[in-house]
């Protein structure tokens, strides 16, 4: 199974498939170019807020930052 190199979304799922072979539709623009890290981080934090009701927004931001550090697109 292929996963987004930015957020780990399953690229074989049509909901996540976009124009890029390496990144999902949520992590790229309409041309398939990876969005800036901060934009992706905001999206991941928003996903944490939806997925874990009651989580503090600051905690969601911190978890998103930690999560992105494990993704190939954002390793330093």
């Amino acid at each position: 199974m292929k996963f987004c190199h930015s957020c780990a979304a399953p690229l074989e799922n049509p909901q996540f498939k976009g124009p890029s072979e390496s990144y999902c539709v949520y992590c790229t623009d309409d041309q398939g170019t990876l969005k800036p890290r901060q934009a992706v981080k905001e999206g991941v934090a928003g996903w944490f807020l939806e997925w874990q009701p009651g989580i503090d927004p600051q905690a969601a931001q911190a978890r998103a930052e930690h999560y992105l550090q494990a993704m190939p697109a954002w390793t330093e």
Side-chain angles (χ1 to χ4, degrees):
M1 182 173 257
K2 284 185 78 173
F3 294 93
C4 175
H5 291 193
S6 174
C7 75
L11 295 177
E12 293 174 5
N13 182 328
Q15 173 186 352
F16 297 107
K17 183 68 180 129
S20 173
E21 292 297 316
S22 299
Y23 305 113
C24 74
V25 68
Y26 298 106
C27 291
T28 60
D29 63 19
D30 292 338
Q31 288 74 44
T33 303
L34 185 61
K35 290 179 181 177
R37 181 186 174 100
Q38 186 61 34
V40 174
K41 179 181 165 183
E42 293 293 328
V44 171
W47 175 69
F48 283 137
L49 289 169
E50 289 179 23
W51 180 59
Q52 299 175 332
I55 189 173
D56 177 82
Q58 288 180 322
Q61 287 287 327
R63 292 188 79 183
E65 180 61 35
H66 184 74
Y67 184 84
L68 291 182
Q69 290 175 2
M71 296 296 106
W74 308 114
T75 58
E76 296 177 11

